[in-house]
Structure formats: C-alpha cells, structure tokens
Amino acid sequence: MNLYFKALFFLTLIGVAISCSEQVDESSADAECAITIDSTSIIDTSVHNDKTWYLVLRISGWQDKTEIVQLFDKKPELDRCNRDLVAPIIEDSIAHDLSIKSFRIDLENNQFVIDYIDTPPDGTRQMDLKLVF
Amino acid sequence: MAQNTGTANLSKLTKKAQACLNNKPDMPSSPLWNLGYATKFNSSSHAKELQDALDYLTCKARANVLSGKGLKFSDDEKEFLMELYEAFWWGGQYKGYSEAAKLADHYVHGNGKKLYINSEVYEKSKIVIATMEAMKEYIAELKAQNKYYTKIKCNNLTFMSKPYAQKLKRMNYRTEGKMKPGGVLESAQNNHRLHKADGHFYLEAVSLTLADGKMKTTWRVDSLYDFEPFVKNENRNYFTEIPLGNTRLVFYDGLSEYMTRIKGKKTFMGEINWLAQKFDYMALWTEMWGDR
C-alpha cells in the first residue's frame, strides 16, 4: 500500500506541478523557495557614525553548510524564503573549517578583514564575530 | 569546582532531554504525503505532525550523544526517518536537483558504498570553469619548464600563489562561487543544484601529453557525504529549514548524523545495516586542450 500511495502521490504532484508551472527566476520575489532555505540570526548590533549597524550570520546548505556574514545599515528584513528584502552593505562567506582570530569591517573598501587560524584538534572553532570598525 | 559545574550541566541537560522525551508523538505513516500536503495546500496540521516527530527524535538522539543515554529507536521511528529521506529524493527530483536527490537517497540505501554523480553539476559551475582555466595555465607553465604536472590539485600552494589563481579568491560568493582559504572551492549560493549536492570541494587534474602534443586532462572531484554531530554548545548545532507552504520544517544535522548510529532492519542475507551511512562520492570528466 505504501508504494502505491507514494506512486499515486508523486503522479498527483507532477500533475499539480505541470498545471502550476511557470519558469520563474529563482532570485525574484515571486519565485518558489528553494528546496531548503537559509537560517539567519542577528549576532551583533552597534551604533557607529550615528547609524545602527547589524551583523547577521546566515547559514545555507544541506549536509555541507556555508556560513555567510552580512552587514546591514538598516534592520534586516526577509521574505518568506528568508531572502533579503533589504540589501546588505557587505556580505561574504567565511571559511567553514577554520577559526577566526580577528574580524573587522573595512567600510572604505567594502570588505570584511578576517584573520583565520587553524581550528584546534578538539574541533572547537573560535568564531567571535562582532561589529568592529 | 570545574567538575561540579560539569556535573551540574550534565544534570541540566538530562532534565531537558527528559522533558522533551516525555512528549512522544505518533510517527506520521507517510512523511512524503505530509510534506506534499503541507507544501501544496499550506496544511499546518500536516507540517506540525512532521515537526513534532522530528523534535522528539532530535531530543532522543541528542540525549544519546550528549548525555550518554542508550535510548532505543522503535521500528516506527526508524521507518519514519528512512521514509523522510526517501521523500527528500522525490522533492529533490521535483525541484530539478537530481544529484542532491540521489545523494540523499544513497545516504539511507547505499550501505556506505562510493557513489559516482553526474559531472555536469560541476562542469557548469562558474567557479569550476574559472578554476579549470587557471589550472590549465599552471599545467602549461609547468610543462614548458619541464616540471611535474601530471597530478595537480587546486589547493597546491604554488598554484594558489599565481596571479591567475588569486582572482578565484575575489569571485562573488553568491553568483559565481569562489576559492576559500586553503584552496577549497565553494559553490555559488545561487547555484542551488550544485550547492545542495556539494558546498565545498577540491578540484584535481590528472594530465598527460598526447602524441600530437595536445593535453588530455581528467578532472576529478572527491567528496564525503556526512553530517556534523550534536555538540554541547547549542549555538553550534547546525540545522536546515525546509519550506512547507507557509511554514518550515526544522531538521537538525545532528539527527541526520545520528542515523549512522542506529541499527536498521536485517537484510535478506541476515546482515544488519545502519539506518544511514556516510559515503564517498565523486565526479569525473575529461577534456582535451591544445598547446599553450
């Protein structure tokens, strides 16, 4: 019964997909979400030059995760697929298997300045990400 | 003092584990049905059934890993986890991520055997295309200098110091992918087909010179499909959010990892396999290229 149920369900799914299908740019606001969506969290906020800045850690991927740091000068807003509705000022992925010795924001050159070190053998990664300008 | 603190923390963890273990839900009999119904018809009740089951199994796995409890997983619970992964295969195929779907299915059905995947997923990637071009420049340079060029990996230190390799580190992480510290290549965030199959990998070139002077290079990617286990620091436990209509399923990587420690059913030959097994996977493709 299980196999029959699965086959019936998948055929129904195909039918619905064909009737509703439309080629949509995955990055557009109307696009369906990808099969998995990123998780996000605001990890630091700070006032600098009379502005409130937000540092966000975004994690994407399935079995092999990518960690992304984003800097915003407005409060981040997300759509239902956790895509940014407010563009970050700077964003980049960070090395997923190294520890971070130091992290700072280089606004002039629109980049993060990150010093990496090897992660200790016990696997405890140092990842102290704070808004440092 | 440190030992007392450690004991107190363990006790706190045990109490938390016990609290969530007390809420044992029924395992949905067909996760694929729940996933499809929740996605297409925004059914929060179908999504909640799945989440409640996952939360309970996560709690159990975490208790076993972090508190040393030897809690068993019932046949229903094992079947639910297997069927959930099988449902991911359907979902992956539906979305056009056939490699990611195949990998998820192999995790629960592959018995740890090595898997070959379609190289197209790498060949069409901007970071791979750019790295191949840079590595060919390097190989041509080595050949011209009568130096060893047969087997080169993208994390070769001399290669990485070259100007044509340096630009790989400045590519856009979101739209192109880039080379990260240590020479590992990272898939573009927008390339969901590759990103969900292999987020980080090394590219290797095995080259030989043909009789007519042209080069034949076999490109190769070797990766490992596995998940991070639960750790004590809750903030470091990875999870994935799977969109289901207006809600999301939260699936902890530690639970996927723990499936490799749960014994499955006996096979026809009387062997007991693990519910899931990590495995090596690879892709190979060949290129002929001219004198440089």
Side-chain angles (χ1 to χ4, degrees):
Chain A
M1 185 263 195
N2 226 356
L3 191 61
Y4 170 76
F5 210 50
K6 280 178 190 172
L8 182 65
F9 172 73
F10 193 61
L11 286 170
T12 310
L13 204 60
I14 299 250
V16 172
I18 290 167
S19 61
C20 301
S21 71
E22 190 182 310
Q23 281 302 317
V24 180
D25 173 12
E26 269 203 14
S27 60
S28 82
D30 294 328
E32 266 189 27
C33 300
I35 196 163
T36 64
I37 59 178
D38 300 351
S39 60
T40 65
S41 55
I42 297 174
I43 54 175
D44 198 16
T45 58
S46 172
V47 176
H48 174 76
N49 289 351
D50 296 324
K51 237 186 215 183
T52 302
W53 298 84
Y54 301 84
L55 196 66
V56 169
L57 181 65
R58 174 178 280 272
I59 298 177
S60 69
W62 175 235
Q63 87 284 7
D64 185 1
K65 295 288 197 287
T66 301
E67 292 167 330
I68 296 150
V69 182
Q70 299 174 297
L71 176 72
F72 294 85
D73 64 353
K74 293 178 186 54
K75 189 152 191 216
E77 282 178 49
L78 304 168
D79 70 5
R80 62 184 183 84
C81 302
N82 274 7
R83 291 178 293 232
D84 290 309
L85 291 172
V86 172
I89 302 299
I90 306 171
E91 60 172 353
D92 203 356
S93 58
I94 55 178
H96 68 302
D97 52 354
L98 296 173
S99 287
I100 292 176
K101 185 181 172 189
S102 69
F103 172 89
R104 70 174 176 85
I105 319 277
D106 178 0
L107 278 177
E108 199 180 312
N109 295 305
N110 253 13
Q111 61 181 8
F112 299 128
V113 180
I114 306 175
D115 281 331
Y116 291 104
I117 51 175
D118 287 333
T119 297
D122 65 0
T124 44
R125 265 174 91 206
Q126 181 185 317
M127 250 185 65
D128 195 21
L129 294 165
K130 295 278 181 208
L131 280 163
V132 176
F133 291 91
Chain B
M1 179 63 78
Q3 195 170 348
N4 286 343
T5 307
T7 309
N9 281 344
L10 184 61
S11 170
K12 210 161 121 182
L13 211 63
T14 307
K15 279 186 186 154
K16 201 173 165 184
Q18 196 55 57
C20 60
L21 286 172
N22 288 339
N23 298 321
K24 185 183 183 313
D26 290 328
M27 294 293 122
S29 59
S30 181
L32 180 60
W33 176 259
N34 282 69
L35 282 169
Y37 213 90
T39 305
K40 280 298 169 190
F41 303 111
N42 291 322
S43 168
S44 55
S45 61
H46 283 79
K48 188 175 183 306
E49 273 179 20
L50 285 172
Q51 192 64 68
D52 285 348
L54 277 176
D55 287 348
Y56 173 74
L57 296 176
T58 299
C59 177
K60 205 183 237 192
R62 188 185 272 136
N64 282 354
V65 172
L66 300 181
S67 312
K69 284 182 173 287
L71 301 166
K72 296 251 184 290
F73 280 66
S74 69
D75 285 346
D76 277 354
E77 289 163 3
K78 292 177 194 177
E79 193 169 341
F80 169 74
L81 286 170
M82 285 280 280
E83 294 200 353
L84 196 59
Y85 258 85
E86 288 168 356
F88 293 152
W89 182 86
W90 293 105
Q93 293 290 354
Y94 168 63
K95 282 282 194 179
Y97 308 149
S98 54
E99 292 78 21
K102 192 174 175 187
L103 290 163
D105 188 71
H106 197 76
Y107 190 56
V108 291
H109 289 307
N111 292 329
K113 291 194 179 84
K114 189 165 198 160
L115 182 71
Y116 288 83
I117 64 169
N118 188 346
S119 62
E120 187 186 83
V121 71
Y122 295 102
E123 288 184 78
K124 288 189 167 178
S125 152
K126 289 177 185 172
I127 181 60
V128 171
I129 291 167
T131 306
M132 285 169 65
E133 286 309 301
M135 287 174 74
K136 282 189 288 189
E137 289 226 36
Y138 182 57
I139 291 164
E141 226 176 76
L142 290 171
K143 184 185 165 190
Q145 294 166 8
N146 284 327
K147 288 183 179 172
Y148 176 85
Y149 62 82
T150 307
K151 206 172 182 184
I152 305 289
K153 217 167 178 178
C154 64
N155 64 341
N156 175 290
L157 289 174
T158 312
F159 165 69
M160 284 168 61
S161 69
K162 297 287 182 181
Y164 43 77
Q166 289 288 316
K167 65 182 182 190
L168 301 173
K169 299 175 188 175
R170 296 190 295 270
M171 290 173 70
N172 187 293
Y173 92 97
R174 184 173 284 283
T175 58
E176 301 174 306
K178 65 193 295 181
M179 179 179 273
K180 302 301 292 180
V184 67
L185 303 182
E186 185 177 87
S187 310
Q189 291 299 296
N190 283 0
N191 182 348
H192 291 284
R193 184 183 168 192
L194 177 57
H195 187 245
K196 299 300 183 281
D198 205 350
H200 300 89
F201 52 90
Y202 294 97
L203 183 63
E204 187 178 51
V206 178
S207 305
L208 57 99
T209 306
L210 300 174
D212 60 0
K214 288 193 186 298
M215 297 292 285
K216 179 182 172 185
T217 297
T218 301
W219 298 98
R220 177 185 175 128
V221 174
D222 287 87
S223 292
L224 176 65
Y225 194 92
D226 70 341
F227 290 85
E228 293 291 326
F230 284 117
V231 294
K232 282 193 163 61
N233 183 343
E234 190 51 43
N235 292 334
R236 298 285 164 89
N237 282 316
Y238 288 138
F239 57 87
T240 302
E241 293 188 60
I242 299 164
L244 301 179
N246 292 332
T247 186
R248 295 156 190 188
L249 199 67
V250 173
F251 194 172
Y252 273 86
D253 289 20
L255 179 58
S256 287
E257 189 277 336
Y258 194 75
M259 287 170 67
T260 65
R261 311 188 206 192
I262 302 172
K263 285 188 180 158
K265 292 180 182 174
K266 261 190 191 168
T267 66
F268 177 74
M269 298 299 289
E271 302 159 331
I272 298 181
N273 291 322
W274 301 105
L275 208 58
Q277 288 186 71
K278 63 182 181 183
F279 60 92
D280 294 313
Y281 61 106
M282 68 181 293
L284 284 168
W285 64 102
T286 306
E287 183 186 5
M288 308 289 199
W289 47 287
D291 288 329
R292 282 177 179 239

